[in-house]
Amino acid sequence: MKSYGGRRTQAERDAITVEIGYALCSAAFAAAVVFGAVAGPAWLFDLPGLLETSLIRAGQVLAPVLFVVRVTAVLLRLRHAAQPSQPGRTNPDS
């Protein structure tokens, strides 16, 4: 992708769209898994009230945090991948 502000090709725009979709889907999946792992025992087992509430709240806090971290990590990786491997050279095979 052009770092100097030029127009992007259709292929570059499509690649960005796919990366954004991947970032959102993988983050949603990871957040759901973490929420289920943390809050799941509160629903599966008969736990004391405070412990049950604590597990559910911990899941409610951890899941969105993980979602944001995952989306950020994937999109930053896309941004860094756009940089040339050898600064000053424009041909990827050089």
Side-chain angles (χ1 to χ4, degrees), residues 14-26 71 74-75 78:
D14 290 345
I16 291 170
T17 302
V18 168
E19 284 294 322
I20 291 170
Y22 170 73
L24 292 173
C25 290
S26 67
V71 168
V74 170
L75 294 180
L78 170 68

Side-chain angles (χ1 to χ4, degrees), residues 15-57:
I16 291 170
T17 302
V18 168
E19 284 294 322
I20 291 170
Y22 170 73
L24 292 173
C25 290
S26 67
F29 179 76
V33 168
V34 166
F35 180 79
V38 173
W43 290 318
L44 291 176
F45 304 112
D46 188 25
L47 300 175
L50 181 62
L51 181 59
E52 182 177 338
T53 303
S54 298
L55 286 174
I56 292 172
R57 295 257 165 90

